[in-house]
Amino acid sequence: MARAIPAARTLAIVAAVGLSLTACGSKGSSSAQPSSAPSTVTHTGDGTLKLGTLLPETGNLQILGPPQVAGVKLALKDINDNGGVLGKPVGLVESDSGDTKTDIASQSVNRLLNENVDAIIGAASSSVTLTVIDKITGSGVLQMSGSNTSTKLSDYPDHGLYWRTAPSDIYQGRVVGETALDDGAQTLAILALQDAYGTSLADQAEKAFTDGGGKVVKKIIYDPTASEFSSEVGQIKAANPDAIALIGFDESAKVLDEMIKEGLLPLKSSGKKLYMVDGNMSNTIAVKSGALEGIKGTIPGSKPTSDFQSRLKQFDPNLKDYSYAGEAYDAVTLIALAAEEAKSDNGVDIAKHLQDVSSGGTKCNNFKDCDALIKSGTDLDYDGQSGPIEFDANGDPTKASMGIYQFGSDNQYKPLKFVSGNVSGGSTSSSSSSSSSTSSPSPSSSSSPSSSPSSSASPSSSPSSSSSPSSSASPSASSTP
């Protein structure tokens, strides 16, 4: 049976998609003001599922574009090779999301809606999503992002039509803060870009670090469009923290260059610790050779299998980063499965079945097997390439996996360990990067031996075992990376 979307999210869906969303724009706690008006067109299904992508081909987050585009295309291949949805191939219309400095996203959404897409994958940036979410969901079109993490989107008034396969910043912030504590840091400085993503993640990292007994000695929210960052880096150096969290996008290369000038990098010379995040973790950062050695970073998702990576390269042979490829792949697969179960390509109908296909039934990890369960009338629980996905009433994953990576002397990062657990808190399990991988990552049924289960839902609950992420502690027997 499909789980009904709670009344708080479905109230007046039919009226809302045909009317102005003035009230919608004034509700919620988000300080970001959507710049695009809702569409006056209500989109309904026509029997053929058509997806649109709103992913960065340009702008300050374009490093996250290629892996997600490849993930979308691979998922579509797997779906269409197995009969498509509702007996027809799934269609695709691609578009650029740009960033918040341009109006590209709004123009792209207009084009996608005119193409009568039923669902849109994207945007990559939470801030970009906040500029177009009213237009998309106000048209009766489903929106699912594989990389939005801002907590502002959790309770956004979206009529039940906004979902995401990436965990909110509550989880990544907790991992960042706890990793710094596990590495012995007692003081932390945070340098974060000023947008919905940066400020949200900075707040969660600060909470986790202070809840664990550490002290944040400096917190700077900076303008990502600045030409240089000497003042900000100078303030961080003067605060003399044990560790630094750098939360940003591609402008982080300029910040890292300034850290080199100030002697904060390389870490083996300064004695500091530095942590980066999914928005700036890249194997293509153009800085001095060896300058990144020892820097750690977090990227949501399970360890991508070698098979998954090679299959992604069918669509982009030049892929060097795989951030959020699994989440994009899972977004497409979940939409397709929900459409099959709903027997409809209408966005509102699909949304009503997303919770159902993501939890509480027979486990499956690919479209072919899951679709067979639907056709046999069996309730299913899809666990995907990004790990366990169980949506809550807000369309957020309640469980997630997170990779902790470290840069070597070649300025390339490699995985150290992976943690998984409840997004909002509780005990989690961890595994080393050398663990054997599977094509269907799933959460461990038990926490690691050194982590104590907790009934608390506080974000300060430790996301990892007591050993340092760089340790070679063996995973529990039941965990998978």
Side-chain angles (χ1 to χ4, degrees), residues 283-325:
N283 281 326
T284 60
I285 300 175
V287 295
K288 180 181 177 182
S289 177
L292 305 183
E293 183 175 5
I295 294 176
K296 292 181 181 178
T298 49
I299 301 175
S302 298
K303 182 180 181 181
T305 66
S306 57
D307 176 66
F308 185 57
Q309 291 183 22
S310 64
R311 295 178 68 219
L312 288 168
K313 286 192 172 184
Q314 296 175 29
F315 301 95
D316 188 346
N318 297 317
L319 270 184
K320 293 184 178 180
D321 295 308
Y322 299 91
S323 301
Y324 294 114

Side-chain angles (χ1 to χ4, degrees), residues 173 176-178 180-181 185-191 202 204-210 214-219 236 239-247 273-275:
V176 171
E178 291 289 347
L181 290 168
Q186 297 180 354
T187 57
L188 176 70
I190 299 174
L191 191 56
Q204 295 302 325
E206 179 180 25
K207 174 174 174 53
F209 192 76
T210 56
K215 181 180 180 181
V216 173
V217 294
K218 196 71 178 179
K219 183 180 180 182
I236 295 295
N240 194 30
D242 298 330
I244 303 166
L246 175 58
I247 300 167
K273 300 173 178 64
L274 179 61
Y275 303 91

Side-chain angles (χ1 to χ4, degrees), residues 104-170:
I104 291 175
S106 182
Q107 296 173 31
S108 293
V109 168
N110 287 339
R111 181 167 68 85
L112 293 174
L113 295 180
N114 287 334
E115 292 272 1
N116 292 313
V117 300
D118 302 297
I120 293 175
I121 308 298
S125 161
S126 297
S127 293
V128 171
T129 285
L130 286 165
T131 70
V132 295
I133 186 172
D134 287 350
K135 180 179 289 188
I136 296 171
T137 61
S139 300
V141 172
L142 176 71
Q143 180 179 5
M144 187 178 292
S145 173
S147 57
N148 286 171
T149 59
S150 174
T151 55
K152 293 180 180 180
L153 288 162
S154 290
D155 57 359
Y156 192 89
D158 52 52
H159 317 292
L161 290 172
Y162 172 81
W163 302 69
R164 54 181 167 186
T165 49
S168 79
D169 288 327
I170 291 175

Side-chain angles (χ1 to χ4, degrees), residues 255-275:
V255 179
L256 292 168
D257 272 334
E258 193 62 41
M259 287 183 173
I260 294 171
K261 295 176 184 177
E262 291 284 348
L264 293 173
L265 291 175
L267 298 179
K268 60 184 179 183
S269 298
S270 69
K272 304 292 185 184
K273 300 173 178 64
L274 179 61
Y275 303 91

Side-chain angles (χ1 to χ4, degrees), residues 281 283 404-408 410 412-417 433:
M281 285 293 287
N283 281 326
I404 301 171
Y405 299 80
Q406 186 170 40
F407 284 94
D410 58 356
Q412 303 290 293
Y413 65 76
K414 295 180 180 179
L416 287 177
K417 70 184 296 185
S433 63

Side-chain angles (χ1 to χ4, degrees), residues 15 26 61 89 91 131 146 172 178 231 241 271 296 336 348 366 373 396 399 409 414 420 446 470 478:
S26 65
L61 203 58
T131 70
Q172 184 169 201
E178 291 289 347
S231 174
K296 292 181 181 178
V348 174
N366 60 77
L373 291 174
D396 284 354
K399 296 182 178 180
S409 58
K414 295 180 180 179
S420 61
S446 62
S470 60
S478 59

